[in-house]
Amino acid sequence: MASNEKFNFAQSVAEALADSQLRANFRFATDTLIQRRGTVFASPEETNFLRDVGSSMKKDVLANLPDLLERFEAKCIKNGIVVHWAETAKDANEIILSILNEKSAKKVVKGKSMASEEIHLNAYLEEHDKEVVETDFGEFIIQLCNEPPSHIIVPAVHKNRKQIAEVLAEHVEGMEYTEDVDIMLENVRNTLREHFKTADAGISGVNFGIVETGSLCLVENEGNGRMCTTVPPLHIALMGIEKLIENVEDIPAIYRLLCGSATGQRITTYFNMISGPRKKDERDGPKEVHLVLLDNGRSRIMNDPQLGDVLKCIRCGTCLNHCPVFTRIGGHAYGSTYPGPIGEILVPQLEGLNPKGAIATASSLCDACSEACPVRIPIPEIIRRMRDESYGHGDPNSVAGYGYKKNCVESMVWRGWKWSQTSPFMNKVMLKGLALFGKWIPVVGPLKSWMSVRSKPTFGKNSLKDLVKKEGVRHE
Amino acid sequence: MKKVSAAKTPVYFFGTCLADMMYADSAMAAIRLIEREGYEVVYPMEQSCCGQPAYNSGFPDEAKAVAWKQVQIFAKHDYPIVVPSGSCAGMMKVHYPKLFKDSPDLFTVKRFSERVVELTTFLHQHAHAVYEDKGAPIKATWHSSCHAMREANCIADSKALLSQLSNVELIELERERECCGFGGTFSIKQPEISGAMVSDKVADVVSTGASVVLSGDCGCLMNITGHMEKENITDVKGQHIAEFIWERING
Amino acid sequence: MSSSAESRERILSRLYNAQQYGRDAYVPQKKVWTIRNRPKEKNITEFMERMGAVRTEVYRTKGTEWVAELQKLVEERGQKTLLHAPSTPTGKVLAEKWKKKSPCKLVTWKDSIEEFKDDLFACDGAVTGCIGGIAESAAVILWPTEEEPRLMSIVPPLHVVVVEADKIYTSFQDAIKKLKWNTSMPTNALLISGPSKTADIELILQFGVHGPTDLVVFITE
């Protein structure tokens, strides 16, 4: 979905729910990913301890973020990495384009990066005549169909094997339709190897930036990230300012949490730590490494101690897998780079409540996300906060679009509700009213929504208060 | 029928708003179960709702006003407050202190929250209830409400009570840990998603072959049975655990 | 576009101001994940088991016998070229013991990647040493050097790693401590755990997507 189309959440939800193939694909994927996570995090005690480690580590980073950023920057510069600061998505795109132009780079190979999705980098570079090739297998597929990722970790998970086979047959030269995964992979491998060889630059994200050593850590299984960051003469890394880890010794825990939560692995195939460009006698590696530090609203989020917790996120995607809503509507319905529970609390803050506040209604607040979150982000609490902010009940300075949903009808309803729940007399009137006239409540508004899939509720003749009196329970 | 022990502190009972509106019999059964263990039950007449509906819908001030009302109503004695719902108990235990975190009343609220105990936890851990099943053999399945599971942490207690009923064969749901789609106002703000969730839940319930689906939370029950009725599924009924146990032990 | 320096100032100043909240906020005591070190034999057993589980062929060999093993292995698979670094201890042994008549020829990396690129992409395999292994998470640790450049372990379809038995550490934590990563971080440091893989098609695990399709590890004593 292009970002400039008007976002209509209700419509995209309805479309997603109507697509039974999509629902089956997501159900299968989330079930599998939850089950795999369980193989690594089998012991609840150990897992909870490790989550404490991750949570305290990230909390500590956020509490000292500006100091750490300055230290990190200094280390990177010392290592020979060129550091750029981008306040907005636009800044980041322009910085990256100007680096490419300066090196006359035409063709770019890209590793998977959610930050680059966030700033819509590909579209921007393509508008400026750059050839951008996504090289993560899943990203490669969705780039062929001009779709955004539907999941933070497995971007093409909304497509099954047959659908992928069709895409490859249509777009990859010399490829015929086949459901044989080996043949699909071999073709893609050969196609992309040519691109790695001939690219002028590689762009990647960063999973962790280590302050102590000025290192950029990339976590991956495929090896395309290593190709992108090693074969071309120029490497540009894009990193959200919150992705710091203070010390090397912190890495094992946060890395295990990331792998275990994301894919149910103890470790990924490659853990790639880059601490500078090719040195004098070295024979490979990029001649220049640029790091673009992306703010894009993050520093504003840090202003609020509760909202700031969203910046602990390590983008493992496990909250998506555990979310019963995500499982049913998939990633695209959220209309943003970050779907699922983390999207519900991050996107409205990055893009404003209007239009993106609507996605915060897509949660039953079941807590399954926060139960799984490796860094213990209290996701449901921040979802509630998004809802508060939407109605103008919070901090007017914290999220753009504050109070956009404020309306007399709902305010009156809740005021009436409060009255009926704090005044014993009104409570009695309400209960009597429901008992007597409940069945004649017209089927409109909320009741109509309720009854779209459920029968009409039957209100009891007696309230508990009536029974208590009748049955002689001590009351006061 | 009541055998009140003088040695046991009486307990307060918070019935929940759904008990007042639709599930009075279930709540009454819960009171009977507590009394059966020799505790006197005290029911404050001015109680209403825990405040969760507004709390989850973006109206914290209204939630806070209703919450404060409950805190005051139950302040007369220091009795434990038994709640026949994991979700309401979770609200009162976990979320009340958050609602009042910047308020001078925080400590009063915290003391209130500490006294809140979910019904099956009370019956199992505090009252050490022992049941003798007098009912005919039956297959039952169990739905864990999300907040019972993740906030009130009472599922083990609920199941421990059910396991004492020797003629009840408990068949677990395939996706016991998944939300039924109720979520309070979520069910009316996102009716399609909620509908997809409850229809999956009902399918899971039906596939167990049980003739009754039990839960400790009336909200989930209202959702699940409401969908079953709409779909004309008549061979499974929904029942609150308290009412079920009460029926079983009284034959 | 606002300049990078201006952006820097504004971002940092916002963050420092936000610190008014941050410093007041309760930050829990940082907890540390520790794993108790195990004896060498246990490490080797666990390493072999776990590397095996990520589809790595692991052989335990004595002295230089790994060369003959490797030769047999690559010949069976019909490999034609094997990249090695003759100036490293591993490469030296390999070059000395390699039967000259072997249909698989040893190749060395010449010049910089720009010149060597085509040859590199044509290689069937590469042999590298490594600075250690990790038992608990199943990985070999590579710190590529001038002699053994980074791409040796990612471009050729077969990657052979020789690891000394004494350098198999219990955990990543222990490796970090023993190898003093915090003060001696190289330009590029790698953990490698198995051949390259993807699960992007219906979450089915498939090996050899961009990098090596096979990873072979020789433990030497």
Side-chain angles (χ1 to χ4, degrees):
Chain A
M1 177 184 314
S3 56
N4 51 2
E5 275 172 45
K6 197 165 168 7
F7 177 59
N8 183 336
F9 188 47
Q11 192 190 328
S12 46
V13 164
E15 283 167 13
L17 287 173
D19 186 340
S20 58
Q21 182 64 61
L22 186 87
R23 276 178 68 180
N25 294 354
F26 274 104
R27 177 52 111 179
F28 168 76
T30 56
D31 277 353
T32 309
L33 289 166
I34 289 176
Q35 181 264 325
R36 287 190 188 159
R37 175 187 180 271
T39 61
V40 173
F41 296 140
S43 146
E45 292 77 22
E46 275 175 39
T47 307
N48 285 333
F49 176 76
L50 208 52
R51 292 170 69 221
D52 285 342
V53 175
S55 173
S56 62
M57 184 188 303
K58 286 304 291 187
K59 194 113 188 161
D60 205 53
V61 165
L62 293 181
N64 301 296
L65 191 55
D67 298 297
L68 293 176
L69 275 168
E70 291 202 72
R71 269 177 60 200
F72 178 62
E73 180 193 33
K75 262 289 177 201
C76 286
I77 293 172
K78 207 174 151 214
N79 289 341
I81 298 173
V82 187
V83 181
H84 309 261
W85 297 72
E87 209 176 358
T88 61
K90 186 168 163 282
D91 286 352
N93 282 328
E94 287 171 1
I95 290 170
I96 292 170
L97 179 67
S98 72
I99 301 169
L100 293 174
N101 282 340
E102 204 176 299
K103 298 282 146 204
S104 312
K106 273 276 183 219
K107 179 173 180 172
V108 178
V109 280
K110 258 191 82 210
K112 194 172 138 30
S113 153
M114 290 311 287
S116 78
E117 298 286 346
E118 177 186 326
I119 64 171
H120 304 291
L121 177 65
N122 291 8
Y124 181 84
L125 293 181
E126 279 161 9
E127 271 167 37
H128 291 83
D129 298 325
K130 302 294 174 198
E131 182 189 355
V132 184
V133 184
E134 289 286 353
T135 61
D136 170 88
F137 189 84
E139 291 278 349
F140 176 74
I141 292 160
I142 58 173
Q143 188 187 29
L144 291 178
C145 354
N146 197 20
E147 283 177 15
S150 62
H151 190 291
I152 294 175
I153 297 294
V154 270
V157 76
H158 56 292
K159 294 201 182 300
N160 64 15
R161 185 198 303 222
K162 288 182 179 152
Q163 293 166 310
I164 292 173
E166 281 163 20
V167 173
L168 292 177
E170 193 186 333
H171 295 280
V172 176
E173 234 182 75
M175 224 189 135
E176 279 169 29
Y177 181 92
T178 173
E179 289 174 28
D180 185 323
V181 178
D182 288 325
I183 300 178
M184 290 195 231
L185 280 182
E186 204 187 318
N187 274 282
V188 173
R189 176 186 171 99
N190 293 337
T191 307
L192 287 174
R193 283 201 154 218
E194 252 340 276
H195 287 305
F196 291 130
K197 268 173 81 176
T198 52
D200 305 309
I203 296 182
S204 76
V206 176
N207 293 94
F208 314 115
I210 308 177
V211 174
E212 187 180 26
T213 55
S215 309
L216 314 175
C217 304
L218 271 76
V219 174
E220 58 155 340
N221 281 311
E222 294 186 5
N224 65 307
R226 288 191 58 202
M227 293 282 202
C228 291
T229 58
T230 323
V231 185
L234 171 65
H235 170 208
I236 305 171
L238 176 66
M239 173 180 144
I241 53 169
E242 81 283 20
K243 293 215 131 188
L244 295 183
I245 294 295
E246 189 169 358
N247 298 311
V248 185
E249 63 176 36
D250 294 332
I251 291 291
I254 201 79
Y255 179 38
R256 170 64 53 86
L257 282 166
L258 176 58
C259 303
S261 307
T263 49
Q265 291 174 280
R266 299 167 66 82
I267 182 173
T268 49
T269 303
Y270 301 110
F271 187 64
N272 181 7
M273 300 162 95
I274 300 164
S275 310
R278 186 189 312 185
K279 288 212 177 101
K280 199 172 132 261
D281 293 320
E282 288 176 346
R283 290 190 279 188
D284 67 357
K287 289 174 176 163
E288 284 185 24
V289 176
H290 292 254
L291 171 67
V292 181
L293 292 169
L294 177 71
D295 181 354
N296 201 26
R298 289 164 173 79
S299 59
R300 199 192 57 238
I301 294 175
M302 274 297 289
N303 240 326
D304 185 291
Q306 183 183 36
L307 300 179
D309 267 356
V310 73
L311 299 177
K312 286 160 78 182
C313 178
I314 56 171
R315 308 279 189 266
C316 71
T318 205
C319 61
L320 279 53
N321 306 334
H322 285 80
C323 177
V325 174
F326 177 87
T327 296
R328 285 172 181 82
I329 65 175
H332 288 160
Y334 293 84
S336 302
T337 308
Y338 305 103
I342 187 66
E344 287 170 44
I345 60 175
L346 181 59
V347 173
Q349 298 198 61
L350 294 179
E351 298 181 30
L353 287 164
N354 194 9
K356 294 294 169 63
I359 64 176
T361 61
S363 167
S364 64
L365 300 173
C366 75
D367 286 4
C369 50
S370 55
E371 187 180 50
C373 177
V375 289
R376 295 191 184 278
I377 300 172
I379 300 173
E381 277 174 42
I382 307 179
I383 291 176
R384 283 190 189 94
R385 177 74 188 277
M386 290 299 112
R387 295 178 181 179
D388 294 353
E389 299 288 329
S390 299
Y391 286 104
H393 304 136
D395 175 1
N397 302 314
S398 59
V399 190
Y402 175 82
Y404 85 100
K405 244 179 154 177
K406 205 168 184 165
N407 69 82
C408 302
V409 178
E410 269 183 283
S411 299
M412 291 282 287
V413 167
W414 286 110
R415 211 169 300 154
W417 171 83
K418 180 181 91 177
W419 197 21
S420 74
Q421 304 301 323
T422 48
S423 148
F425 174 74
M426 284 311 296
N427 191 254
K428 210 170 178 175
V429 170
M430 179 203 69
L431 291 174
K432 264 272 143 353
L434 283 179
L436 289 174
F437 309 112
K439 57 183 158 193
W440 290 303
I441 297 177
V443 183
V444 290
L447 188 62
K448 192 177 169 196
S449 296
W450 174 264
M451 285 175 58
S452 60
V453 284
R454 284 156 287 239
S455 61
K456 195 166 186 173
T458 358
F459 297 98
K461 288 214 160 35
N462 293 309
S463 71
L464 179 61
K465 296 184 175 80
D466 300 331
L467 282 190
V468 159
K469 275 197 207 157
K470 233 183 259 174
E471 306 261 332
V473 176
R474 180 178 148 195
H475 51 275
E476 54 184 33
Chain B
M1 186 173 83
K2 277 192 259 182
K3 271 182 281 168
V4 174
S5 156
K8 289 178 175 168
T9 330
V11 300
Y12 267 137
F13 191 76
F14 177 82
T16 79
C17 61
L18 280 178
D20 268 337
M21 290 191 283
M22 302 165 79
Y23 289 91
D25 293 335
S26 307
M28 202 56 223
I31 292 177
R32 294 295 181 223
L33 286 176
I34 303 169
E35 289 177 340
R36 182 179 175 274
E37 304 307 319
Y39 293 85
E40 186 185 17
V41 174
V42 183
Y43 184 90
M45 291 304 279
E46 294 193 357
Q47 61 175 278
S48 55
C49 168
C50 66
Q52 191 172 185
Y55 180 64
N56 287 350
S57 307
F59 289 82
D61 294 341
E62 283 76 2
K64 206 169 159 182
V66 172
W68 181 240
K69 183 79 185 170
Q70 312 313 313
V71 173
Q72 287 175 310
I73 289 165
F74 287 88
K76 200 165 164 191
H77 307 286
D78 211 15
Y79 304 154
I81 303 160
V82 182
V83 183
S85 152
S87 190
C88 308
M91 174 72 189
M92 296 166 116
K93 280 188 94 63
V94 180
H95 297 288
Y96 274 21
K98 290 178 190 161
L99 262 178
F100 288 85
K101 70 175 189 307
D102 300 320
S103 152
D105 298 317
L106 178 62
F107 287 99
T108 314
V109 171
K110 274 193 166 169
R111 277 200 298 277
F112 170 89
S113 295
E114 279 159 15
R115 287 156 55 209
V116 173
V117 52
E118 191 273 340
L119 173 73
T120 59
T121 301
F122 181 80
L123 291 173
H124 181 235
Q125 291 190 29
H126 299 257
H128 307 290
V130 177
Y131 297 130
E132 191 196 336
D133 193 356
K134 292 181 184 157
I138 186 174
K139 278 184 185 174
T141 188
W142 168 260
H143 166 68
S144 292
S145 103
C146 299
H147 296 161
M149 197 159 48
R150 303 190 178 102
E151 287 178 354
N153 295 318
C154 58
I155 300 305
D157 297 315
S158 307
K159 287 190 177 171
L161 295 181
L162 289 176
S163 71
Q164 295 186 25
L165 303 173
S166 51
N167 286 334
V168 177
E169 185 193 344
L170 194 69
I171 305 160
E172 304 217 320
L173 293 177
E174 196 193 326
R175 299 177 192 280
E176 187 185 330
R177 297 183 67 79
E178 189 173 81
C179 178
C180 71
F182 176 59
T185 50
F186 167 74
S187 58
I188 51 183
K189 298 229 169 179
Q190 291 293 351
E192 288 92 358
I193 305 174
S194 168
M197 286 161 73
V198 71
S199 83
D200 288 350
K201 182 60 78 179
V202 166
D204 197 355
V205 167
V206 169
S207 73
T208 61
S211 57
V212 59
V213 50
L214 303 171
S215 180
D217 273 89
C218 294
C220 307
L221 280 175
M222 183 169 84
N223 183 38
I224 294 169
T225 57
H227 184 69
M228 291 196 298
E229 258 177 55
K230 177 102 178 176
E231 297 292 311
N232 290 319
I233 296 164
T234 51
D235 39 2
V236 193
K237 68 168 185 167
Q239 200 171 31
H240 190 275
I241 182 172
E243 204 176 355
F244 180 75
I245 294 177
W246 184 250
E247 282 178 14
R248 299 293 304 180
I249 60 178
N250 288 295
Chain C
M1 162 168 82
S2 53
S3 84
S4 175
E6 287 164 11
S7 294
R8 180 185 187 278
E9 282 316 300
R10 279 198 296 268
I11 294 167
L12 285 175
S13 91
R14 267 200 298 275
L15 289 174
Y16 277 115
N17 286 331
Q19 289 287 289
Q20 303 307 319
Y21 298 89
R23 285 194 216 282
D24 292 343
Y26 167 69
V27 178
Q29 180 71 39
K30 233 168 129 172
K31 289 187 182 177
V32 183
W33 182 36
T34 49
I35 293 172
R36 201 187 315 174
N37 283 345
R38 284 180 284 257
K40 181 181 156 187
E41 266 315 302
K42 274 227 155 95
N43 285 344
I44 295 177
T45 322
E46 191 182 2
F47 176 79
M48 293 181 73
E49 228 177 78
R50 292 202 184 276
M51 286 302 283
V54 289
R55 234 235 215 165
T56 303
E57 295 165 54
V58 190
Y59 303 96
R60 206 173 166 180
T61 55
K62 288 231 177 327
T64 57
E65 55 183 46
W66 63 271
V67 180
E69 291 273 341
L70 173 63
Q71 189 144 16
K72 212 169 81 195
L73 195 143
V74 290
E75 283 170 13
E76 269 170 22
R77 294 179 195 192
Q79 308 256 358
K80 297 274 183 295
T81 48
L82 200 56
L83 187 60
H84 78 309
S87 54
T88 63
T90 313
K92 202 171 156 217
V93 171
L94 184 71
E96 277 169 16
K97 301 270 168 189
W98 199 258
K99 290 199 193 85
K100 300 288 175 276
K101 278 188 221 151
S102 171
C104 178
K105 299 296 172 210
L106 294 184
V107 183
T108 51
W109 182 303
K110 289 191 192 70
D111 306 317
S112 63
I113 174 69
E114 284 73 22
E115 283 82 7
F116 188 60
K117 207 184 264 181
D118 286 333
D119 293 336
L120 173 68
F121 275 79
C123 279
D124 290 337
V127 184
T128 69
C130 73
I131 63 164
I134 303 172
E136 197 267 347
S137 44
V140 285
I141 311 165
L142 270 75
W143 286 9
T145 57
E146 295 105 75
E147 295 154 314
E148 284 180 352
R150 316 174 192 199
L151 290 172
M152 278 180 84
S153 60
I154 186 78
V155 174
L158 167 73
H159 179 208
V160 180
V161 187
V162 181
V163 57
E164 286 173 42
D166 288 329
K167 290 186 181 157
I168 295 176
Y169 305 98
T170 301
S171 63
F172 191 7
Q173 288 90 322
D174 191 39
I176 287 172
K177 212 163 128 193
K178 299 256 169 69
L179 297 167
K180 301 194 172 56
W181 285 40
N182 56 335
T183 53
S184 51
M185 182 74 81
T187 332
N188 187 212
L190 295 161
L191 301 192
I192 298 178
S193 178
S196 129
K197 58 179 176 274
T198 185
D200 274 339
I201 305 176
E202 293 186 349
L203 300 174
I204 307 162
L205 208 53
Q206 290 288 322
F207 289 88
V209 51
H210 298 292
T213 47
D214 294 283
L215 179 68
V216 176
V217 175
F218 289 103
I219 303 172
T220 60
E221 270 174 294

